[in-house]
Amino acid sequence: MFYPSHTHSVRTICLLTLFLIAWNYQTNAQEIPVIPYPSTVITQSGEFVFSENVTIQYSDFDQGQSSHYIQEELMSRFGIYGRINEKNDADIKLSDATQAKDSDAYQLSIGSSIEMSGSQRGIFYAAQTLFQIMEANKTDSGVISVAHVDITDQPRYGWRGLMLDESRHFFGKKVVKQLLDWMAYYKLNVFHWHLTDSQGWRIEIMKYPYLTLIGGIGDDHNPLLPAQYYTQKDIKEIVRYARQRHITVVPEIDMPGHATAVNKAYPVFSGGGSDRYPEWTMHPTKDTVVEFLTDVLQEVDALFPAQMIHLGGDEVHFGNAAWNTDPAIQAWMKKNDATSLVDVEHYFINRMADTIRAMNNLVLGWDEIVTAGLPTEGSLVFWWRHDKPETLTQALDKGYDVVLCPRIPLYFDFVQTENHQDGRKWGGRYADIESVWKFPPDSLHSATYNDQIRGIQANIWTERIANKNRLDYMTFPRLAALGEAAWSMPGQSNYDQFLERMKPQMKQYHNDNLYFFNIFDPESTPEPPVLEGDG
Ligand code: TNX
């Protein structure tokens, strides 16, 4: 019999079911446990089981470096001993795709064998993806099997940065290495090292030993703490360690403000300060200061292969009142028809930028440099004042390349939730993990400027982070959200899925002895106070 109305409702139900399946697939489909989420993921049926005698193909394109790296990590992370073999029939195959040498892109295919291809760097990232999948599939028996999948991946941004302030509090090599490990795990690639500030100078300079011997004394809480700093040997060790993880280390020597530690060591270079910020500046017009800083930067340049130096340039106005009465500065202003102290500041910044450029380095600076008139070619601006979006617009309009690191949500000295007490909030606002994950918001997108936005960076300022526990707590798990914001294109995943993928990360943090903020069980790790609880 023919029942038109019945057919009609069957069709409706069928369509509805299809719709529900599709909707369900969209929102609840199981994602692979990888952060940052890859560009394309095609799951296949079948599993690859890691056996005791897994073989790794020798990577002749980099004299076995990639193979050895994978071998070491399989052993240290999973207790799996992989044998390196010269033949093409290894379980883990590595191939050097003919693409740019420093390309981040990679392919990872897990089937009856595991194939990774890309540049050496791409293969490194393919390995991170594999390790994350394996970590999430660890079992008590030690046997690890992973589902078949084909992944093609490449990053959204070339600059995926994290800054650590070691002037206000000093953490040391072990802590930095652990941070670099986690950065690499989340495919972050720039470590911006804030090594000098008012509270302490932390990088050895051979020509001016008092910078560390005197300038290194004290920190933000204890002005009498014996000098803490990195020797040049330490710096080289960290740079090498980072390079092995495809992370560029960018040094910052903050000038002409934030310079109290310099002035303590070499008062002769001081430009004075203000009542609230005594001895805040280096003298902005003396040639001897430029000569001193040139010597310093030459040693810095020799230590860091990045070929970029961050000269700070922030918050000079906090403590430049003394410039109003300094005879040399006043004479300079008169001679040059300068009308304000900002002109003096810009003069100094330009001289130092020229010095850095003469060393064949890119000039990096906080967004105060946007009005200094530096050439756009060879300069990079760090937009940090979230309350001054016009500064970002100005930088882009003028043609500068920019790294986005606005306080909210990318300053990790801001707290992560409303009820955290000890870190920063601004007008009740803070830096919750969801905002980090969603960064940059649509309002900061503009097709016109897209190629000037080099990337994003989070900054860990440490006035209120005085110990390892608190450093961990402020960094994790936001670091994971940062990695995904910097790498994955918007729309590749959603926040709920991200949280799902975060779950296995908690266990990994725990296993690495991190005192992290447990977003799923906040009570389990109470907020550590600023001054107590070294982990
Ligand atoms: C502003 S960001 C600073 C830092 C402080 C930070 C605290 C910037 C360029 N200057 O010196 O540590 O705020 O959140």
Side-chain angles (χ1 to χ4, degrees):
M1 283 300 257
F2 184 58
Y3 297 106
S5 61
H6 181 232
T7 312
H8 186 75
S9 60
V10 167
R11 196 193 295 142
T12 313
I13 290 170
C14 282
L15 279 173
L16 198 68
T17 316
L18 274 176
F19 170 77
L20 283 173
I21 290 172
W23 183 75
N24 193 50
Y25 177 77
Q26 281 278 310
T27 54
N28 292 326
Q30 193 68 38
E31 289 191 334
I32 59 165
V34 176
I35 296 173
Y37 207 66
S39 314
T40 315
V41 176
I42 301 168
T43 50
Q44 313 282 7
S45 57
E47 301 217 312
F48 180 95
V49 182
F50 280 86
S51 65
E52 257 313 309
N53 38 28
V54 66
T55 50
I56 306 164
Q57 187 184 346
Y58 179 79
S59 53
D60 44 10
F61 53 86
D62 62 7
Q63 293 81 48
Q65 279 182 57
S66 295
S67 320
H68 280 110
Y69 169 72
I70 291 166
Q71 183 188 39
E72 273 172 36
E73 293 292 300
L74 286 181
M75 177 50 81
S76 63
R77 286 177 181 277
F78 309 104
I80 294 172
Y81 174 61
R83 253 169 283 264
I84 293 181
N85 110 16
E86 299 271 352
K87 290 172 277 165
N88 292 335
D89 63 353
D91 298 314
I92 301 181
K93 302 182 168 62
L94 309 175
S95 62
D96 181 21
T98 48
Q99 43 189 305
K101 206 171 157 288
D102 57 353
S103 167
D104 295 320
Y106 69 88
Q107 290 183 321
L108 168 66
S109 155
I110 305 178
S112 52
S113 65
I114 295 179
E115 293 170 29
M116 300 181 186
S117 72
S119 66
Q120 189 191 13
R121 177 180 307 213
I123 286 175
F124 179 82
Y125 287 140
Q128 304 314 310
T129 301
L130 176 66
F131 300 151
Q132 289 198 11
I133 297 172
M134 291 175 72
E135 287 281 359
N137 287 289
K138 263 184 179 168
T139 57
D140 291 339
S141 68
V143 177
I144 298 179
S145 57
V146 293
H148 289 180
V149 66
D150 290 319
I151 297 171
T152 314
D153 201 6
Q154 64 190 52
R156 178 180 193 183
Y157 294 119
W159 188 289
R160 304 181 298 276
L162 181 73
M163 189 218 78
L164 179 67
D165 165 12
E166 289 215 74
S167 171
R168 274 58 177 267
H169 288 101
F170 184 82
F171 298 95
K173 280 192 289 187
K174 196 167 159 238
V175 171
V176 170
K177 286 183 179 176
Q178 190 186 26
L179 206 52
L180 291 168
D181 285 342
W182 282 100
M183 283 178 68
Y185 199 53
Y186 295 132
K187 304 187 174 81
L188 294 164
N189 66 352
V190 180
F191 178 58
H192 170 172
W193 214 356
H194 188 79
L195 286 163
T196 72
D197 210 301
S198 284
Q199 290 86 335
W201 181 283
R202 309 294 181 204
I203 170 172
E204 179 182 42
I205 301 296
M206 299 304 184
K207 193 158 182 188
Y208 298 97
Y210 294 160
L211 283 173
T212 43
L213 296 178
I214 295 175
I217 295 174
D219 65 14
D220 197 63
H221 279 93
N222 179 357
L224 299 176
L225 217 57
Q228 291 175 292
Y229 60 90
Y230 292 104
T231 63
Q232 295 207 349
K233 193 163 161 269
D234 293 333
I235 300 270
K236 284 182 198 156
E237 185 181 328
I238 292 295
V239 167
R240 199 178 320 117
Y241 193 89
R243 184 159 48 189
Q244 286 161 353
R245 285 153 187 77
H246 297 273
I247 295 171
T248 303
V249 186
V250 173
E252 180 184 349
I253 306 295
D254 205 345
M255 60 183 82
H258 290 268
T260 316
V262 177
N263 295 335
K264 190 163 69 171
Y266 294 96
V268 65
F269 300 129
S270 176
S274 63
D275 287 348
R276 197 152 163 226
Y277 296 92
E279 292 302 323
W280 180 253
T281 67
M282 297 182 224
H283 199 283
T285 63
K286 280 185 186 163
D287 291 343
T288 49
V289 173
V290 174
E291 283 154 20
F292 156 70
L293 284 170
T294 304
D295 291 342
V296 168
L297 294 178
Q298 270 165 1
E299 290 194 32
V300 170
D301 176 40
L303 288 169
F304 294 90
Q307 292 306 103
M308 33 183 140
I309 294 178
H310 199 300
L311 53 62
D314 57 313
E315 298 176 329
V316 181
H317 66 278
F318 276 15
N320 62 356
W323 293 6
N324 286 313
T325 49
D326 182 285
I329 296 172
Q330 288 306 313
W332 183 89
M333 286 179 76
K334 204 168 241 160
K335 189 168 157 217
N336 293 281
D337 287 330
T339 49
S340 81
L341 297 188
V342 174
D343 295 337
V344 183
E345 179 182 328
H346 288 167
Y347 166 71
F348 172 85
I349 290 290
N350 271 284
R351 287 185 86 181
M352 292 319 303
D354 288 347
T355 307
I356 292 174
R357 217 171 283 110
M359 295 172 185
N360 252 322
N361 274 240
L362 213 60
V363 180
L364 280 44
W366 300 109
D367 63 32
E368 282 91 335
I369 68 165
V370 170
T371 48
L374 302 183
T376 52
E377 188 75 18
S379 307
L380 183 59
V381 171
F382 288 65
W383 178 61
W384 68 280
R385 291 178 292 182
H386 72 285
D387 53 329
K388 291 194 192 310
E390 67 278 10
T391 307
L392 172 62
T393 315
Q394 201 183 2
L396 295 168
D397 280 344
K398 288 187 175 190
Y400 288 107
D401 280 357
V402 174
V403 171
L404 304 173
C405 54
R407 285 186 198 96
I408 293 175
L410 295 183
Y411 272 23
F412 286 2
D413 55 334
F414 279 65
V415 296
Q416 308 194 51
T417 81
E418 180 101 80
N419 43 21
H420 285 168
Q421 297 301 322
D422 278 332
R424 294 193 75 192
K425 284 180 195 159
W426 187 318
R429 292 182 66 201
Y430 46 88
D432 61 286
I433 185 168
E434 186 170 354
S435 308
V436 176
W437 185 83
K438 289 196 167 133
F439 192 83
D442 289 342
S443 57
L444 293 180
H445 282 292
S446 158
T448 336
Y449 296 132
N450 266 354
D451 54 352
Q452 281 169 257
I453 296 179
R454 294 274 296 272
I456 69 175
Q457 175 172 303
N459 298 332
I460 312 177
W461 300 103
T462 59
E463 290 96 327
R464 298 181 207 197
I465 301 177
N467 54 69
K468 168 75 161 65
N469 274 0
R470 195 164 167 85
L471 179 66
D472 291 351
Y473 197 75
M474 300 306 272
T475 308
F476 298 92
R478 284 189 291 204
L479 193 74
L482 175 72
E484 186 142 313
W487 179 284
S488 307
M489 290 302 282
Q492 269 168 231
S493 182
N494 64 44
Y495 187 62
D496 287 341
Q497 296 271 27
F498 169 70
L499 289 179
E500 266 319 297
R501 286 181 280 117
M502 278 308 298
K503 284 178 185 160
Q505 305 286 315
M506 299 293 123
K507 197 157 162 214
Q508 295 170 51
Y509 296 158
H510 179 80
N511 290 342
D512 201 27
N513 288 318
L514 292 170
Y515 189 87
F516 60 102
F517 170 46
N518 190 333
I519 45 173
F520 303 107
D521 183 10
E523 313 273 292
S524 67
T525 53
E527 183 188 14
V530 174
L531 271 178
E532 283 171 26
D534 261 324

